[in-house]
Structures are given as structure tokens and as C-alpha cells.
Amino acid sequence: MQKITLLINCKDQPNIIASVTNFMATNDGNIVYIDQYVDREQHIFFMRLECEFISNSFSVEAFKELFKNSLVEKFKLKWRMYAAEKKPKMALFVSKYDHCLYDILGRYNSGELFLEIPFILSNHLDLKPIADSFNIPFYHVPVTKATKHEAEQKQLELLAEHNIDFIVLARYMQIVSQTLIDKYPNKIINIHHSFLPAFVGAKPYHSAYKRGVKIIGSTSHYITEELDAGPIIEQKVAQISHNNSIKDLIAKGRDLEKIVLSNAIKLHTMRKVMVYNNKTIIFS
């Protein structure tokens, strides 16, 4: 049995759901999940569908072509179709912080994450022992003002060589180039150590402590040209009080970062995220 996941969006119009579901039934598909959402302000229709096929002769590529010829032009669909059994390939970019890296690799090692990790890349050597302990190739690509272009070219070469589908910045402390963003639109996930957009900068927990805030948070989002302003995938907060020290805030914040980033990775790999006008639709 083979299974596909279909994501579509288009101008809201009558008969879309019926046409898509009838198409699946006509081609011997069994729909096991379907959800839809209409943005009333923009008049845009969104849908996510999972469908199973029993036939041994089923071909995802042939089915894509059939779907394209049958429905895409009729409804002016923007669409993506994925073979559910194909694990996406994820590159991990890190610097010196290890908490998110350990968390991701632990989940990956236990089979919790449906993906492959062909390599880990860093601008420092500090975390190489962690990559080695998980038997994942580690590439050291230093980044300075003088070597930034060279580093970018090396990154692009590695990503192409390993057929990477998406990138996760697990506390990678470098600004990603526009070239990389253009190459992987809505496919570079970042974790931000604050509840965006408040308390941005290098020391958000210190700023939060000085302000006497009652919650702290973490945000995972796709990278865009505008720094820390990409489509948000996942956010969480934790309650704090005047009894908490800066050390407490940092510990709570790092716990949030791990949870938020791993959840964002799961949502992305399960094809549950759709981006439109710098916002996300997250399907259940």
C-alpha cells in the first residue's frame, strides 16, 4: 500500500473539495485524512489530504501528472504532493550551544523524527564530539567577514551533494545569506530564544529579567530576508515569577527552545505546514 500527502491552496470557489475527493475515488484512492480552511479576508482556500492506494502499479510521479492535467488548471491550484514513505533529508546547522542539538539527535536516534540527517555543519568545532557520538558526518565551515562568500559556497555544495530537503538552524549563530534563503524558501527553520517579537537581541533573558516579565517564550519560524520576521511555525511560553533568577529563566528558556524546535521539525516533516503571505496554516 502506498500513501500520498496533498497540499493545495487557491482562490476560494465552489466544488473544490468534491472535485478533489472524487478524483481520488475515481483513481482507486482511499482518503484517510482531510482538512480544509478558508481565509475569509483573503478569500483563499487551503486543504491537506492523505490518501492510500492498494495497487502495486501505483506511481506517485504518474499520479502527479494525472492530477495536474485534471484539476490544477481548472481551479488554478498551487499544490504539492509527497510520497508519504519518503523521509525528507535535513541538514543541521549549529554553533556552540548544544541543548537543541542533543534533543534533536536523541529524538532522531529513538525514531521519533521521520527524517534523515546526512550531516551536521558548524562554524565552530565545539560540537563535533556530539556528531561523532551519533555517527553523523560533521563539517566545519568557519565564517568570517573575509570568508563569508567562500563559506556560503561550501554550504551550497554540501546541501546539493547530500540532496538536502530542508535545513534546521539549531542555535546557529550566523545570519543566513539571501542566496541560501532563495535556494530553500520556507525550508530553513530557525529557533528564536524569545517570544517574538519582544526582547529580541543577544540577551533576551536579561532584558526580560529587568522588565520583571511574568512569562518567557520561544519561537520557531522559517527564515526570510527580514531578520526574525519569517512565518511562525510554533510558539510556547512558561510562567515565571519574581523568585526566578536569570539562571532560572535561561534554563526554562532552553527547555522551551528544545520543545518548540522539535515540534516545528515534526510539523514540517509531516507536511502539516502551509505558508501564505508570511503566515502559516498548521493542520492537525
Side-chain angles (χ1 to χ4, degrees), residues 85-178:
E85 72 275 6
K86 185 175 182 290
K87 290 184 177 182
K89 294 182 178 182
M90 176 183 79
L92 271 173
F93 283 27
V94 297
S95 288
K96 292 186 176 183
Y97 292 107
D98 62 6
H99 56 290
C100 286
L101 178 61
Y102 267 122
D103 184 71
I104 291 169
L105 295 181
R107 294 174 190 272
Y108 172 69
N109 216 34
S110 67
E112 184 179 331
L113 300 177
F114 185 75
L115 49 81
E116 296 179 20
I117 305 178
F119 69 86
I120 297 168
L121 181 144
S122 181
N123 56 323
H124 298 283
L125 285 167
D126 301 57
L127 303 186
K128 186 178 185 302
I130 300 174
D132 293 343
S133 68
F134 282 88
N135 297 314
I136 297 175
F138 181 93
Y139 294 99
H140 177 221
V141 182
V143 181
T144 65
K145 286 185 178 180
T147 66
K148 195 169 183 65
H149 178 71
E150 181 184 337
E152 176 191 277
Q153 293 306 307
K154 180 62 176 177
Q155 291 170 358
L156 290 168
E157 288 172 12
L158 288 168
L159 294 166
E161 178 186 340
H162 292 277
N163 297 311
I164 295 300
D165 294 301
F166 73 109
I167 303 165
V168 168
L169 310 181
R171 295 306 304 272
Y172 180 64
M173 310 304 286
Q174 291 288 325
I175 295 176
V176 175
S177 73
Q178 187 61 45

Side-chain angles (χ1 to χ4, degrees), residues 8-277:
I8 66 172
N9 72 276
C10 62
K11 183 179 179 181
D12 189 30
Q13 53 200 292
N15 210 33
I16 305 172
I17 298 176
S19 297
V20 173
T21 54
N22 286 338
F23 174 84
M24 296 297 171
T26 301
N27 289 280
D28 300 319
N30 177 37
I31 296 172
V32 294
Y33 170 97
I34 186 170
D35 196 5
Q36 59 84 30
Y37 165 72
V38 176
D39 184 326
R40 296 294 183 182
E41 291 186 358
Q42 302 293 325
H43 306 290
I44 302 296
F45 173 86
F46 301 87
M47 186 168 75
R48 182 180 183 274
L49 178 148
E50 295 177 9
C51 193
E52 293 177 343
F53 299 85
I54 299 175
S55 173
N56 292 328
S57 62
F58 177 80
S59 164
V60 174
E61 293 307 315
F63 191 73
K64 282 183 178 180
E65 193 64 24
L66 184 60
F67 181 80
K68 178 181 177 182
N69 295 334
S70 301
L71 294 178
V72 170
E73 182 59 31
K74 178 181 179 180
F75 290 104
K76 307 297 180 185
L77 300 179
K78 293 182 180 179
W79 63 290
R80 289 173 287 157
M81 187 181 293
Y82 304 95
E85 72 275 6
K86 185 175 182 290
K87 290 184 177 182
K89 294 182 178 182
M90 176 183 79
L92 271 173
F93 283 27
V94 297
S95 288
K96 292 186 176 183
Y97 292 107
D98 62 6
H99 56 290
C100 286
L101 178 61
Y102 267 122
D103 184 71
I104 291 169
L105 295 181
R107 294 174 190 272
Y108 172 69
N109 216 34
S110 67
E112 184 179 331
L113 300 177
F114 185 75
L115 49 81
E116 296 179 20
I117 305 178
F119 69 86
I120 297 168
L121 181 144
S122 181
N123 56 323
H124 298 283
L125 285 167
D126 301 57
L127 303 186
K128 186 178 185 302
I130 300 174
D132 293 343
S133 68
F134 282 88
N135 297 314
I136 297 175
F138 181 93
Y139 294 99
H140 177 221
V141 182
V143 181
T144 65
K145 286 185 178 180
T147 66
K148 195 169 183 65
H149 178 71
E150 181 184 337
E152 176 191 277
Q153 293 306 307
K154 180 62 176 177
Q155 291 170 358
L156 290 168
E157 288 172 12
L158 288 168
L159 294 166
E161 178 186 340
H162 292 277
N163 297 311
I164 295 300
D165 294 301
F166 73 109
I167 303 165
V168 168
L169 310 181
R171 295 306 304 272
Y172 180 64
M173 310 304 286
Q174 291 288 325
I175 295 176
V176 175
S177 73
Q178 187 61 45
T179 303
L180 208 61
I181 294 170
D182 292 341
K183 186 74 174 177
Y184 290 89
N186 297 322
K187 293 179 180 179
I188 306 177
I189 299 174
N190 188 34
I191 183 66
H192 197 280
H193 50 195
S194 70
F195 192 65
L196 291 176
F199 302 118
V200 297
K203 294 185 176 181
Y205 299 116
H206 293 71
S207 300
Y209 180 77
K210 289 178 181 178
R211 285 287 303 275
V213 300
K214 304 308 176 193
I215 61 170
I216 58 170
S218 185
T219 301
S220 189
H221 62 97
Y222 291 116
I223 291 289
T224 59
E225 182 179 358
E226 188 177 354
L227 186 64
D228 296 331
I232 292 171
I233 307 169
E234 178 86 342
Q235 291 183 298
K236 286 194 181 298
V237 297
Q239 295 285 336
I240 58 172
S241 77
H242 59 275
N243 289 318
N244 292 124
S245 65
I246 292 177
K247 186 177 179 180
D248 293 334
L249 269 61
I250 292 173
K252 286 175 178 284
R254 287 182 176 175
D255 284 342
L256 289 173
E257 289 169 27
K258 291 186 288 187
I259 295 168
V260 168
L261 184 56
S262 65
N263 285 349
I265 292 170
K266 290 176 187 176
L267 289 168
H268 182 87
T269 55
M270 293 171 72
R271 319 297 188 188
K272 292 190 173 185
V273 185
M274 294 187 72
V275 177
Y276 185 80
N277 283 351

